[in-house]
Structure formats: structure tokens, C-alpha cells
Amino acid sequence: MKKTGAELVRYALEQLGVRYTFGIPGVHNTEIYDQLAGSPSITPIRVTAEGGGSFMADAVSRTNDHVGAMLIVPAAGAALATAGMGEAFMAGIPMMVVAGGTRDDHGFKYQLHEMDQLAMVRPITKGQWRVQTHAEIVPTFFKAWEVATQGEPGPVFIEVPVNLQLFPGEVDVLPVWVPPRTTTQLDDRLIEQAAQLLVEAKQAGIFAGWGARDASPLLIELAELLEAPVATTLQGLSVFPANHPLHVG
């Protein structure tokens, strides 16, 4: 079958359960925006600056069971988006960043927004891809989502050249997304060791961060059992109730 790259991007994002994209339309991503305008499940949200949009995508990932995403123009848009991408990278927040790219099918240089985006974002992303064929698009998006959400989460960056978006190309099959099965292996020995240290402590205190976000009830129970004061990091402000008598800021 023949599909444009823009159609394939829409298909991949829909398969991955993306609900919102944040960014600004431009000459290097208009075709994708046109596709998302007809999507029944994705709402593209236009922002006034990609920097703000990157923090919006970060917030979506922090507060929902789906991953926040960006749809931006290359170079200038990507540079502005690095603010929120860097924050997400440091805080362990998954994010999908989709950027248009300059044409790679005619050999001419010095195009508008031509730069090595992957090199720019490499220090603040878990993975970076520049797709080169239509057949690569959907598998690359699926792989990027896995990298963004597996282990220590973080942002990923995918560049889709505008010529792939514009023109149809041959695709053998449209793969269906099957979420990978993940299991967390706990080291019982380390848990036992931590429990023993807490039992033996004369003045136990708890310093909790974003990693405790899914364990707030257990954190409260532990603090009350130990009668331990609890402080949080800036990222972990929500993991322990501020009106609890043991909360110290």
C-alpha cells in the first residue's frame, strides 16, 4: 500500500494512545497537522512558544496514563522546546517530541531550518531518530515510545523529513501496537536491609521525591509508624499531604 509520511505519523500516534500534541504549525510539519485535524482521538493544541508547549506536554505525562507529545518545526522550534525536554529528562518524565525536518531528497544545502537536530537534543533525550523511509516511520514511533516509558522514563525525539510527509511511499504493513509486558524485579534483600535500618534508627526522617508518587498511602503509613518527619523534593511536592502533622516542607 502507499501512504504519506503524515498519514503514518497520525496512525502511529493514534496507536500509541497519544491524546494531545503541543506545538506550532510550520512549513516542515503542516502535513501532519492536516492529518491530525481529522483524527478522532488526538487534539493538536497550538501554543505561542514551543518552550511553554514542552512544559504542557510534561504536565500531561505527569497527570495522566498517556504520554504528552509535541509536534514542532525543526531548528528554532526544537531549540525552544529544549527547556521542557531538559526538565523532563532530569525528572524522569516520558515525552514524545515529533519534529519536522528539511528535505533530504534533492541534495541541496542551506535550507530553511537546516541543522543537526539530533546532535542538539542528544544530551537531554533518551533516544533520537531521523526516519529515512516511509516504512521506518511506524516502527520507529513504537520503538521511541518504549524507550520513553521503559526503565527510567524520559523524552525522545523523532525527526520526519518534510518530503516523507508530503509524498506517498510504499509500506508493506501497518503494524498494530501491542504494549510490552513489563515487570519490576524487587530485591527483597535490599528491602529487608532498608527496613532494618529504619527500625534501628533513633531519629528517623524521610526525604521523598517524585519516585514515591504511586506510593503515597504507603508513605503516609510508614511515616506514622515511625513518627518520622517527612520532607519532599520540589518534584515530589504532591507525594505527601502538606496538611499532615508530620510534613515539614
Side-chain angles (χ1 to χ4, degrees), residues 225-242:
L225 178 66
L226 298 172
E227 295 185 345
V230 180
T232 68
T233 65
L234 287 173
Q235 297 290 343
L237 285 175
S238 64
V239 304
F240 195 81

Side-chain angles (χ1 to χ4, degrees), residues 215-231:
S216 290
L218 292 174
L219 178 60
I220 295 169
E221 184 179 349
L222 178 63
E224 292 175 346
L225 178 66
L226 298 172
E227 295 185 345
V230 180

Side-chain angles (χ1 to χ4, degrees), residues 64-99:
N64 295 275
D65 59 358
H66 50 89
V67 175
M70 297 199 72
L71 177 54
I72 57 178
V73 295
L80 290 169
T82 56
M85 292 164 60
E87 176 69 22
F89 182 75
M90 295 296 292
I93 306 301
M95 182 188 300
M96 296 277 292
V97 182
V98 182

Side-chain angles (χ1 to χ4, degrees), residues 19 50 55 88 105 127 132 216 234:
R19 298 278 303 280
E50 287 87 357
F55 286 103
D105 59 343
Q132 297 179 311
S216 290
L234 287 173

Side-chain angles (χ1 to χ4, degrees), residues 75-191:
L80 290 169
T82 56
M85 292 164 60
E87 176 69 22
F89 182 75
M90 295 296 292
I93 306 301
M95 182 188 300
M96 296 277 292
V97 182
V98 182
T102 55
R103 296 185 65 152
D104 61 3
D105 59 343
H106 52 43
F108 294 107
K109 292 297 183 181
Y110 304 105
Q111 302 176 64
L112 177 67
H113 293 296
E114 181 179 359
M115 68 170 296
D116 188 348
Q117 299 187 96
L118 273 58
M120 178 179 67
V121 303
R122 187 167 290 117
I124 55 170
T125 54
K126 287 187 66 183
Q128 319 82 32
W129 294 266
R130 179 183 294 114
V131 295
Q132 297 179 311
T133 66
H134 291 79
E136 291 177 24
I137 293 176
V138 176
T140 298
F141 273 69
F142 288 2
K143 175 63 176 177
W145 191 94
E146 291 185 26
V147 171
T149 57
Q150 300 289 308
E152 176 74 12
V156 292
F157 187 94
I158 308 168
E159 178 182 314
V160 184
V162 68
N163 49 290
L164 294 185
Q165 301 174 40
L166 282 164
F167 304 120
E170 195 65 39
V171 179
D172 293 333
V173 64
L174 289 178
V176 176
W177 169 246
V178 179
R181 297 182 62 184
T182 59
T183 57
T184 301
Q185 298 295 327
L186 301 178
D187 190 327
D188 292 334
R189 181 182 59 83
L190 290 177
I191 295 174

